[in-house]
Amino acid sequence: MQRILLALSLFIGAATTAIADPIEYFQVDGITYDESIPAPEDRLGFGVGDRPIRHDAMVAYLTELADLSDRISVETIGYSHEHRPILFFTVTSPGNHGQIDDIRQQHLAQLEPGSAPGNGPAIIWLNYGVHGAESAGMDAAIPTLYHFAAAQGAEIEETLANSVILITAIFNPDGHSRRVNHVEAFGAEIAVTDPDHEQHNLWTEARTNHYWFDLNRQWLLQTQPESQAWLEQWHRWKPQVSADFHEMQTEATFYFHPGEPLRRNPLIPERARELTEGIAQYHVRFLDSEARLYTSAEGFDNFYVGKGSTYPQVNGSLGILFEIGAARGGLIEADRGLVRHGENVRTHFRTSLTTVEGALAQRDAIADYQRQFFADAAAQAARDSDRAFVFSANGDPERLNLFVDLLDRHDITVHALARNVRVDGQDFRAGEALVVRLDQPQYTMIRSLFDRVSEFDENIFYDVSGWTLPLAYDLEYAPLGRAFAADLLGDEISPRAVGATPPQRSSYGYVVRWSDYFAPRSLYRLLDNDIRVRIATEDVTIPVTGGPRQFGPGSVFIPLVGQDVSNDRIYELVSEAAREDGVSAHAVVSGSTPGNTPDLGDSRGFRSVDQPRVLVLFDDGLASYDAGEVWHQLDYRMHIPVTLRRKDELGGLDWSRYTHLVIVGGGNTRLSESAANRVRQWVREDGGVIIASRQAALMAQDVFLGVEPDEDDSEEDGEEEDGRPDRRNYADLSVDDAEHIIGGAIFEGDLDPTHPIGFGYSDRFIALHRNMVETLEWPEEDPFAVVVQYADEPLLSGYASERRQEEIGGTPAVIAQRMGRGAVILFADNPNFRATFRGNERMFMNAIFFSRLITPPSGEY
């Protein structure tokens, strides 16, 4: 304690120099440390907390610790988008290391229902650094691993003998590196504590990964390589306790779970909270010993299962969230005093130790709880009236394969459907549909993924309220109750690599089905190689090798005639599309089509399209998450290059370079008057296309289409009949204020599959993510412009008040209108939300490729 006070006094008294935090500041009183293990300052050249620690230096030091200590092993489990390694450390006694795989297998075996309890080590997982701007969590891995490597004495030996501690460092290396660069770029010899100093202005920009994704929402969604790497290890071990270290707003103090009692996902047993409270007492003991301020049961919920502290709780583990008021650039003023990065690191380090201590103190009880969790899951599955879920993706095997991959990452077993079955009026065919049994260890997780939940005890959500992933993937699916029989289960199915068989050679041309998920990637591949294509605008039966086949609107016909490249090169590109993009490609044998469908030379049934050149705006009030999701969808998934430009820097652009302008939602979507005028000219005269979502769609409808929001509301919200305002208690503000939000719900829409923006869809049902309150207005002069309309009773899953459902029901969800030579495409919400609503993404890609296929009405309606 004297060392702590001395360090603080030195720090407070320093006026002109930065004070490093040598390892003594972090060491635990009463424990000696092995001097042969290098301290951080010996390798970094400064103490932890003195300045930002670059990722390569952190990797080098922590790897050296693992090399020097027989208590620590390290492996690289994956790489970020920017190809930085993600390190995974296993910390335990040398004796346990000698039999580590046996320990893991024995731990997993005792989770099987009916198995005998074991007496193996406690399995404890520590997450550090999922948010790049939250540096205290990342840096806390350094003193933690140093402590486990160098601490000496009977206490540490007993701790390591009785535990296997799993540490990922760091979860988000790209965001971490962005944070370091920012802090260093605006650093100074004399620490600037002014909160308005640019060094402290890094929260959103550094929080995310390369494509601006919040990785703490990725435990469930699994679209990013970082989360895929760590979740594989998590399920490989299925730890009993999972601790997750974060930072929050500077004025806050320190928070740790169990969290708000009423905001608990009903799939999480109450016993989990009781055991978490038991561990929390060890944090309290430490914090009270230093007279720290903290909170433990307020503010944070355990509802959304995709966060690092909640996901473990629906998988049999105890998830524990830690949040501390951020020091931002390192040292910052706050009403509660100076907030210091080194002190935050130390708090996370010490509560890492109290997490291990508290888990070991309840070791048997926690092990019993985890075993009981899976035993209860088996019992619940046996009682469940549903026995399985059957699902398919009509005309898109790759989208179905992507869903299988998602389930596999959550350790869920999938079977092929062995025979045809009809459920609730839906036909599911063997060879196309798949089955997930409920009687498997991941019963609780299956329920969290497949269930539609729309009733809640409380309507305050830290995150989205509805995550029914078959809807997000636009799958046809149904529960199997009485219709279930063992003979429905075929072989177990594993995710496969993307790819399909190339077509035979043709002397006429080739056709690529548009309903395949990666068809936009194939189309861009062709256009980028100067291949002329023709797009089917209606259903057409085309004679191909093997006989005539029906192809839907959007299908891509590649004629051999009229091309500037050789037939061999065309075949090579089409074959690459099949092998690498998994699209269904066929050799055409004749241009004459049977029946009443248009021949391949018909100029109405087949239209040409041009290569898109996309400009995406970001910053200056636009939501970085939304912009990043567009960037990720186009660049990473569809291999379409994107030009990124700040919204307030549109002057001087050569607009002739671009065909599409994407404007996402956010707090300020307005363009300057000069920019709006230039964009309007670009659309009308040059044929440009605006694609706008969420708040930007409202702005675009007003600014570019001249449709103002309907503000006529005869009944003012919150007024009684006599005109007096409804008086409410201030204590109810948080609940009442949230009553009419939309908690990230899933709504039903009616989609027009004959519209170019609806090409590639097999039916009219579409599930849409919704978190906007405002609605689009109906276009007055174009009755064909509404591509998707919300159902009259739209809520499928998640929270939305009855009032909001009534307001949104029947309104436009997607509008597509011509404007001069160009077009304006409006999405009421975000079609690329968290890279997970794969059913909505097709509409966005159609907007990229097919906007100019839209024909405006010529008559009066």
Side-chain angles (χ1 to χ4, degrees):
M1 189 64 177
Q2 289 179 339
R3 284 200 303 271
I4 297 169
L5 294 174
L6 175 60
L8 286 173
S9 65
L10 286 172
F11 167 71
I12 294 170
T16 60
T17 58
I19 300 298
D21 288 327
I23 199 61
E24 287 80 10
Y25 175 67
F26 297 92
Q27 290 176 350
V28 180
D29 287 335
I31 294 180
T32 59
Y33 288 81
D34 185 349
E35 294 184 357
S36 69
I37 301 295
E41 58 265 30
D42 295 335
R43 294 295 185 262
L44 301 174
F46 53 87
V48 176
D50 179 37
R51 63 187 302 165
I53 304 170
R54 294 194 176 276
H55 181 256
D56 58 342
M58 188 172 179
V59 167
Y61 174 66
L62 296 181
T63 301
E64 183 181 9
L65 286 182
D67 290 341
L68 294 174
S69 174
D70 56 4
R71 300 169 175 176
I72 303 175
S73 65
V74 63
E75 60 181 307
T76 299
I77 59 173
Y79 291 88
S80 69
H81 280 294
E82 296 173 16
H83 208 70
R84 293 185 175 92
I86 301 169
L87 302 184
F88 183 72
F89 297 86
T90 303
V91 181
T92 190
S93 68
N96 287 342
H97 269 297
Q99 52 180 344
I100 195 67
D101 200 53
D102 289 341
I103 290 173
R104 184 180 67 84
Q105 295 286 1
Q106 290 165 12
H107 166 66
L108 296 177
Q110 69 180 10
L111 302 183
E112 295 291 334
S115 62
N119 60 352
I123 311 300
I124 302 167
W125 175 284
L126 304 178
N127 296 344
Y128 292 112
V130 72
H131 289 139
E134 300 174 14
S135 52
M138 288 172 279
D139 290 0
I142 296 173
T144 301
L145 282 163
Y146 172 80
H147 174 85
F148 288 131
Q152 296 179 312
E155 182 179 348
I156 187 66
E157 297 292 348
E158 182 180 4
T159 293
L160 295 175
N162 292 326
S163 61
V164 174
I165 303 165
L166 308 168
I167 296 175
T168 306
I170 55 180
F171 267 38
N172 183 2
D174 294 349
H176 168 259
S177 297
R178 199 179 301 128
R179 186 257 176 192
V180 171
N181 290 339
H182 183 96
V183 173
E184 291 277 46
F186 296 98
E189 287 298 313
I190 301 174
V192 180
T193 62
D194 180 358
D196 292 327
H197 178 41
E198 180 60 27
Q199 187 183 43
H200 304 303
N201 182 26
L202 54 91
W203 198 251
T204 301
E205 186 173 334
R207 177 182 177 85
T208 54
N209 76 343
H210 175 80
Y211 284 104
W212 306 335
F213 277 71
D214 181 341
L215 293 180
N216 198 37
R217 304 302 180 267
Q218 281 289 312
W219 285 78
L220 178 68
L221 308 179
Q222 290 293 289
T223 68
Q224 304 299 299
E226 299 92 342
S227 64
Q228 292 172 357
W230 77 60
L231 191 66
E232 180 180 356
Q233 292 299 317
W234 197 95
H235 277 295
R236 189 168 178 268
W237 276 97
K238 296 193 184 298
Q240 295 159 329
V241 175
S242 293
D244 192 23
F245 295 89
H246 291 257
E247 288 181 332
M248 52 184 169
Q249 66 271 24
T250 297
E251 289 297 344
T253 57
F254 184 56
Y255 167 87
F256 49 91
H257 264 6
E260 167 60 52
L262 295 179
R263 299 173 197 168
R264 175 176 58 90
N265 191 301
L267 295 172
I268 300 171
E270 177 62 30
R271 179 62 173 155
R273 180 182 179 83
E274 295 170 0
L275 292 168
T276 303
E277 286 178 333
I279 295 175
Q281 298 313 305
Y282 289 81
H283 314 320
V284 168
R285 184 184 306 168
F286 159 68
L287 295 165
D288 283 350
S289 73
E290 299 191 350
R292 302 290 191 86
L293 297 177
Y294 57 86
T295 183
S296 180
E298 297 82 24
F300 290 90
D301 67 66
N302 284 297
F303 190 84
Y304 172 56
V305 301
K307 295 181 295 188
S309 58
T310 309
Y311 182 89
Q313 298 185 64
V314 293
N315 283 274
S317 179
L318 303 182
I320 304 175
L321 172 66
F322 294 92
E323 296 266 5
I324 197 164
R328 301 281 181 138
L331 181 65
I332 190 171
E333 299 166 19
D335 288 345
R336 61 189 178 93
L338 285 176
V339 180
R340 178 178 177 237
H341 175 61
E343 183 62 26
N344 285 355
V345 174
R346 182 177 176 277
T347 301
H348 275 335
F349 159 57
R350 293 302 298 270
T351 49
S352 297
L353 301 187
T354 55
T355 298
V356 174
E357 183 183 6
L360 289 177
Q362 299 182 104
R363 177 179 165 191
D364 292 340
I366 293 172
D368 288 342
Y369 164 77
Q370 190 179 40
R371 285 194 302 273
Q372 191 62 44
F373 177 92
F374 288 103
D376 290 345
Q380 292 167 16
R383 296 192 301 267
D384 202 316
S385 59
D386 295 330
R387 313 304 299 165
F389 285 98
V390 59
F391 54 93
S392 63
N394 190 14
D396 191 354
E398 195 52 53
R399 180 160 41 92
L400 189 66
N401 181 53
L402 291 168
F403 191 66
V404 172
D405 181 69
L406 176 71
L407 296 177
D408 182 68
R409 293 183 186 281
H410 294 298
D411 203 23
I412 295 171
T413 301
V414 181
H415 289 264
L417 180 67
R419 62 174 174 81
N420 297 346
V421 64
R422 183 173 178 81
V423 188
D424 297 333
Q426 291 180 281
D427 290 313
F428 296 91
R429 294 187 292 273
E432 297 179 3
L434 303 176
V435 180
V436 166
R437 296 176 4 261
L438 287 175
D439 61 335
Q440 53 179 299
Q442 288 295 85
Y443 167 83
T444 307
M445 195 65 204
I446 294 168
R447 274 299 184 194
S448 70
L449 292 174
F450 281 82
D451 281 353
R452 300 187 187 186
V453 180
S454 57
E455 295 183 3
F456 305 89
D457 293 333
E458 191 173 285
N459 59 340
I460 299 176
F461 304 98
Y462 182 76
D463 206 273
V464 294
S465 61
W467 275 108
T468 307
L469 287 181
L471 293 176
Y473 277 63
D474 193 28
L475 302 178
E476 298 79 34
Y477 82 108
L480 291 172
R482 293 181 179 178
F484 178 77
D487 66 346
L488 288 173
L489 297 178
D491 294 336
E492 285 192 17
I493 298 294
S494 298
R496 55 170 176 75
V498 175
T501 303
Q504 296 183 19
R505 283 187 175 270
S506 172
S507 60
Y508 193 91
Y510 303 92
V511 61
V512 173
R513 186 173 62 182
W514 187 251
S515 61
D516 290 307
Y517 181 76
F518 288 111
R521 191 161 81 188
S522 296
L523 176 54
Y524 189 86
R525 179 197 301 270
L526 295 167
L527 295 172
D528 193 44
N529 281 275
D530 300 322
I531 305 298
R532 295 183 176 89
V533 303
R534 294 167 62 78
I535 304 299
T537 61
E538 57 186 89
D539 288 329
V540 59
T541 301
I542 299 177
V544 296
T545 303
R549 292 176 63 101
Q550 185 171 0
F551 294 86
S555 296
V556 181
F557 171 52
I558 306 105
L560 296 183
V561 68
Q563 303 285 1
D564 296 328
V565 298
S566 69
N567 292 356
D568 287 344
R569 179 57 178 158
I570 292 173
Y571 179 72
E572 179 183 335
L573 289 168
V574 172
S575 298
E576 285 179 4
R579 286 193 301 267
E580 298 177 14
D581 304 335
V583 296
S584 177
H586 301 269
V588 178
V589 298
S590 172
S592 176
T593 63
N596 295 322
T597 59
D599 290 333
L600 299 187
D602 189 308
S603 60
R604 292 170 300 175
F606 288 88
R607 304 271 299 278
S608 62
V609 294
D610 297 322
Q611 182 180 2
R613 299 182 300 277
V614 184
L615 176 68
V616 176
L617 303 188
F618 73 102
D619 206 8
D620 188 35
L622 301 182
S624 61
Y625 293 164
D626 291 29
E629 287 153 7
V630 171
W631 184 21
H632 176 267
Q633 172 68 9
L634 293 174
D635 176 60
Y636 185 74
R637 283 185 172 163
M638 297 302 170
H639 299 175
I640 298 173
V642 169
T643 298
L644 298 172
R645 187 79 172 187
R646 298 183 190 276
K647 179 168 71 71
D648 60 350
E649 296 180 0
L650 296 183
L653 277 182
D654 178 4
W655 284 92
S656 67
R657 292 180 59 92
Y658 310 110
T659 61
H660 290 71
L661 171 66
V662 180
I663 314 175
V664 299
N668 174 24
T669 61
R670 288 274 166 178
L671 302 177
S672 68
E673 184 175 353
S674 60
N677 288 335
R678 183 64 185 92
V679 170
R680 189 179 292 108
Q681 178 188 24
W682 171 74
V683 174
R684 287 191 177 279
E685 299 179 10
D686 301 334
V689 176
I690 299 171
I691 302 175
S693 59
R694 300 207 305 132
Q695 294 93 341
L698 303 174
M699 178 276 295
Q701 193 170 43
D702 177 15
V703 172
F704 299 112
L705 297 178
V707 180
E708 297 183 3
D710 184 5
E711 298 179 355
D712 181 23
D713 191 354
S714 57
E715 261 186 57
E716 290 294 328
D717 183 31
E719 283 196 1
E720 297 179 345
E721 291 183 3
D722 61 5
R724 288 182 301 177
D726 180 16
R727 184 169 179 245
R728 304 189 183 193
N729 292 330
Y730 185 78
D732 297 329
L733 184 147
S734 62
V735 174
D736 291 355
D737 203 39
E739 180 180 357
H740 297 302
I741 65 156
I742 298 175
I746 301 176
F747 278 25
E748 177 182 349
D750 175 68
L751 178 145
D752 178 3
T754 69
H755 194 286
I757 306 304
F759 283 1
Y761 289 91
S762 60
D763 56 44
R764 299 186 69 93
F765 175 88
I766 185 74
L768 306 149
H769 177 267
R770 177 85 187 190
N771 62 10
M772 282 278 292
V773 171
E774 296 83 0
T775 58
L776 292 173
E777 300 299 322
W778 279 88
E780 295 180 358
E781 299 179 358
D782 187 352
F784 305 98
V786 176
V787 182
V788 180
Q789 178 181 350
Y790 286 111
D792 290 338
E793 297 180 0
L795 184 63
L796 292 172
S797 184
Y799 175 79
S801 69
E802 290 187 9
R803 170 185 159 185
R804 292 304 186 211
Q805 294 181 57
E806 291 175 0
E807 291 173 348
I808 294 169
T811 65
V814 180
I815 294 174
Q817 288 185 269
R818 291 302 298 262
M819 178 179 166
R821 297 182 62 191
V824 179
I825 316 298
L826 308 176
F827 292 91
D829 223 297
N830 178 3
N832 299 297
F833 185 65
R834 293 188 183 167
T836 298
F837 275 71
R838 295 180 185 263
N840 292 193
E841 291 165 357
R842 182 180 304 281
M843 287 188 290
F844 179 79
M845 297 311 305
N846 287 347
I848 294 292
F849 285 104
F850 300 154
S851 297
R852 292 178 178 175
L853 300 184
I854 300 170
T855 300
S858 57
E860 295 184 3
Y861 296 88

